[in-house]
């Protein structure tokens, strides 16, 4: 049973550039959430996708956008990168109608902005 | 506002018992979750309390008091592999505390 996968593992970008991160949910899951985790901090909720629509959004600027595909996989896009966007980006999947408190996280993408 | 407070670091001896406390403040509360994250790894779900009281899962137990807006994670028979960061969180969506870094020493 495949768990949550994310790509790439690591990424280095320059300020002002744009980045796209990818996530495949755990088999059988239909909901994908994205989190940003700064060093030494807890994950912060960015947004959640279900049925190819953004359902909930955290306190993140419009530079952060996403997409969900018919196969439930998802992308996170960040435009006009800032140094402060350097973090671990985590994708988590769950099943709509399932336990809202239990999410399955991927290993994350480590983004460094220079 | 919404917030969760937990100690930043805890150190305990192998084989001992450790308690990680969490206090929260939120207008809407369904229950308290606990996640474990090893260095370089993904957060993994440990337990969830929707109602007051103690939930036990093997060596780990979690407690919730809604009236006190307080919960804790209890780890028994500590092992070196328990060295990790532990996060309390409420939902939905999941809002995490800053985490408690647990170091288990011999």
């Amino acid at each position: 049973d495949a768990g949550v996968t994310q790509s790439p593992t690591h990424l280095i970008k320059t300020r002002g550039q744009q980045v796209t991160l990818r996530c495949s949910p755990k088999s059988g899951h239909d909901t994908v959430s994205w989190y940003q985790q700064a060093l030494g901090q807890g994950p912060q909720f960015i947004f959640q996708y279900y049925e190819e629509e953004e359902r909930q959004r955290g306190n993140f600027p419009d530079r952060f956008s996403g997409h969900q595909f018919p196969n439930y996989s998802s992308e996170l896009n960040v435009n006009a990168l800032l140094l402060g966007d350097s973090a671990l980006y985590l994708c988590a999947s769950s099943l709509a109608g399932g336990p809202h408190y239990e999410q399955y996280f991927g290993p994350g993408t480590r983004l460094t902005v220079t | 506002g919404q917030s969760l407070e937990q100690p930043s670091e805890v150190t305990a001896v192998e084989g001992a018992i450790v308690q990680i406390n969490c206090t929260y403040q939120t207008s809407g509360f369904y229950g308290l979750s606990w996640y474990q994250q090893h260095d370089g790894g993904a957060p993994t779900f440990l337990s969830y309390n929707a109602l007051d009281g103690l939930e036990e899962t093997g060596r780990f137990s979690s407690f919730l008091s809604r009236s006190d807006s307080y919960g804790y994670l209890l780890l028994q028979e500590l092992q070196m592999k328990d060295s990790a960061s532990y996060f309390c969180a409420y939902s939905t969506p999941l809002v995490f505390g800053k985490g408690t870094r647990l170091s288990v020493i011999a």
Side-chain angles (χ1 to χ4, degrees):
Chain A
D1 181 18
V4 179
T5 59
Q6 293 186 242
S7 63
T9 305
H10 296 86
L11 203 52
I12 300 175
K13 290 286 189 178
T14 304
R15 274 180 300 176
Q17 286 188 317
Q18 177 265 343
V19 68
T20 298
L21 310 182
R22 295 176 175 80
C23 169
S24 290
K26 176 181 168 63
S27 178
H29 284 182
D30 55 10
T31 302
V32 173
S33 301
W34 287 92
Y35 295 81
Q36 180 194 68
Q37 186 175 25
L39 202 61
Q41 302 292 314
Q44 273 197 295
F45 176 74
I46 302 175
F47 43 54
Q48 182 183 79
Y49 276 84
Y50 170 64
E51 292 188 326
E52 303 179 48
E53 288 189 11
E54 183 182 294
R55 298 295 178 170
Q56 289 181 300
R57 189 179 182 93
N59 189 25
F60 279 81
D62 292 345
R63 299 187 296 108
F64 290 77
S65 63
H67 189 78
Q68 185 180 35
F69 299 93
N71 66 351
Y72 308 121
S73 67
S74 176
E75 288 182 350
L76 164 66
N77 301 293
V78 187
N79 295 322
L81 284 167
L82 303 174
L83 294 180
D85 295 331
S86 295
L88 180 67
Y89 288 84
L90 295 162
C91 168
S93 73
S94 56
L95 182 62
H100 57 82
Y101 50 83
E102 184 175 4
Q103 298 200 2
Y104 290 78
F105 284 82
T109 294
R110 173 71 63 184
L111 172 65
T112 302
V113 182
T114 63
Chain B
Q2 296 185 326
S3 68
L4 298 106
E5 297 292 331
Q6 51 182 131
S8 58
E9 293 184 2
V10 172
T11 300
V13 178
E14 190 176 18
I17 299 173
V18 70
Q19 178 174 314
I20 299 174
N21 298 321
C22 173
T23 57
Y24 60 86
Q25 181 179 356
T26 178
S27 54
F29 181 78
Y30 295 93
L32 196 67
S33 304
W34 288 92
Y35 280 76
Q36 177 193 61
Q37 185 179 30
H38 287 97
D39 284 347
T44 57
F45 172 78
L46 290 177
S47 69
Y48 175 72
N49 294 71
L51 303 174
D52 286 3
L54 193 68
E55 292 283 342
E56 297 181 67
T57 309
R59 293 188 298 115
F60 294 2
S61 302
S62 57
F63 172 83
L64 176 66
S65 169
R66 283 174 166 266
S67 60
D68 296 323
S69 297
Y70 164 75
Y72 66 73
L73 179 70
L74 193 72
L75 296 82
Q76 301 179 335
E77 301 174 13
L78 280 172
Q79 302 175 10
M80 301 299 286
K81 68 178 182 179
D82 296 330
S83 293
S85 291
Y86 293 84
F87 298 91
C88 57
Y90 57 69
S91 52
T92 115
L94 275 176
V95 176
F96 287 85
K98 292 186 177 181
T100 298
R101 188 173 184 86
L102 171 63
S103 298
V104 180
I105 59 176

